[in-house]
Amino acid sequence: MGATLAVARRELAGYFATPVAYVFIVIFLVLSGALTFTLGGFFARGQADLQPFFNFVPWLFLFLVPAITMRLWAEERRLGTIELLLTLPIAQWQAVLGKFLAAWAFCAIALALTFPLWITVNLLGDPDNGVILAGYAGCLLVAGAYLAVGAALSALTKNQVIAFVLAVAVCFVFAAAGSPVVTEFLSQRIPVLAEVARQLSVTERFGGFQRGVIALRDIVFFASFIGFWLFANAVAVDHRKAD
Amino acid sequence: MPALIEIERLTKRFGSFTAVDDVSFAVDRGEVVGFLGPNGAGKSTTMKMLAGFVTPSAGTARVCGHDVVDEPVAVKRCLGYLPEGAPTYPEMTVSGFLGFVARVRGYRGSEAEDRVARAMRLTSLEGVRLQPIETLSKGFKRRVGLAQTLLHDPPALVMDEPTDGLDPNQKHEVRELIRAMAPEKAIVISTHILEEVGAVCTRAVIIARGRVVVDATPRELEAPGKTLDEVFRELTLGSAREPALAATEAA
Ligand SMILES: Nc1ncnc2c1ncn2[C@@H]1O[C@H](COP(=O)(O)OP(=O)(O)OP(=O)(O)O)[C@@H](O)[C@H]1O
Ligand SMILES: [Mg+2]
């Protein structure tokens, strides 16, 4: 575990050593704030909650998270440091997990920095803070899911642009799978798949958290989803590391 | 007792191209093997397989008795490996980077600090310890890589062109360092500087086009009144000409 954390710590410090971290955080805060107050009708709704904010977060992450993950392995290959990292005495899954944890912690920091929104609703009204907390937990799990996808895809290619586009595309599939457009289309033609799509949809699962419901099966879903993609990541690293 | 580094019929194919072809040799404690060969001969690929970075297509290697394929982590624990080009994380400071390597290698607290300090002393890096690596000159960057290799005082060392890019004084320092460590360690260095072989190596293994063409002491190589340069050229050019000759004969 110590080695995994050492990798995570180095990685996280690496984010803040470059402008990437600051650009990401500023864009995330500006966009989430702007969308919440304009399109989300934060004030106009006359309700003290963060629903408009939580509506946008998964879609913002859809583009922002791949921007973090695209360099995760591609950068190591470009610098040649992947050879250094993978010849240190750690198992491959430890390197994979360490990088993932760093990226996840980074997303947690970005989410935590939206606290002024939370303060605002608490000043303006009397929100159910339990629901808000569940919503934040859901956001973090969605970020984790997208990160796991993006990290695995970045291990497949040296090219950061390809890594980004692939990650957005695959994350979009899992985000849109539960949307009415997709499920209605499927239920008219292949009803079995409609249910599968809903089950696999990240946004559908997130909906529960957003309503303040933390269901065990949703947590199990996210855990297995992330686990599966981390496993794919380790396999991809193992096969493509020296190419 | 088996040698610290044993390479047995190691082979690596990239598609239909064989980069390393049936290479075998062993390195015992106290030996410094100079691994020579022209560009593209397969030196780095062999070393990457020793370090567990590239998976062999056939054959195997053992470091400190551990198989590189079956027990990669045990191999990495007892091996100091300097990859070609000495890659490091550019945004980190020298001591930050070495501290990271120490932590991944399982050292904590004052032991980690001692290890880092010792590695920096061996490679004369104390003066730049707080400088980001990207702001260092090429030779200093290489020394950071070297420090990383020596940090855990490993019994086996595999270094890919350790003196590349160093000034003459530093080359001398690194050779002295290798000579000083030699009695307790098994060392493999690849190099294009043939004088280095005479200066530090107890044995030279020359490969060309993936195959071992010579495994001898530097003295044996020079014996027939030729310089190492001439011997190297003869051995490696000779084998490079073969396919062309074979093709003309066939036609
Ligand atoms: N990932 C790879 N895919 C395909 N071919 C490769 C790969 N890595 C190395 N090769 C080929 O294998 C051969 C041996 O390369 P290697 O880097 O081991 O040579 P070398 O002896 O270290 O040369 P140099 O002295 O230039 O460092 C080269 O022809 C190289 O093009
Ligand atoms: Mg090489």
Side-chain angles (χ1 to χ4, degrees), chain A residues 158 242-243, chain B residues 12-15 17-20 35-48 54 84 160-161 190-192 207 210:
Chain A
K158 249 181 220 168
D243 287 1
Chain B
K12 181 66 191 178
R13 293 182 209 98
F14 294 107
F17 173 73
T18 308
V20 176
F35 199 33
L36 313 174
N39 292 134
K43 303 181 294 296
S44 298
T45 308
T46 305
M47 291 176 141
K48 283 174 190 178
V54 166
E84 189 169 34
D160 204 344
E161 305 193 21
S190 80
T191 179
H192 289 297
I207 66 168

Side-chain angles (χ1 to χ4, degrees), chain A residues 10 76 83 86 89 241, chain B residues 53 76 81 89 91 105:
Chain A
R10 194 213 73 74
E76 297 264 359
E83 191 169 348
L86 297 183
K241 60 188 176 188
Chain B
F53 184 62
K76 290 162 190 179
Y81 174 58
Y89 293 103
E91 79 280 357
R105 289 203 172 272

Side-chain angles (χ1 to χ4, degrees), chain B residues 163-234:
Chain B
T163 58
D164 181 44
L166 298 183
D167 68 45
N169 297 339
Q170 275 303 317
K171 277 201 176 86
H172 179 78
E173 292 276 307
V174 170
R175 284 175 203 161
E176 287 299 312
L177 186 61
I178 292 174
R179 236 200 305 260
M181 294 186 300
E184 314 101 70
K185 298 188 194 300
I187 305 179
V188 181
I189 58 168
S190 80
T191 179
H192 289 297
I193 308 162
L194 294 178
E195 58 180 274
E196 209 151 75
V197 178
V200 297
C201 297
T202 56
R203 241 169 81 207
V205 174
I206 303 184
I207 66 168
R209 299 163 71 245
R211 293 183 153 271
V212 175
V213 290
V214 167
D215 182 346
T217 65
R219 185 149 330 132
E220 283 165 1
L221 277 180
E222 282 182 272
K226 290 179 189 162
T227 66
L228 264 178
D229 262 42
E230 287 166 340
V231 177
F232 180 84
R233 209 160 16 236
E234 255 170 41

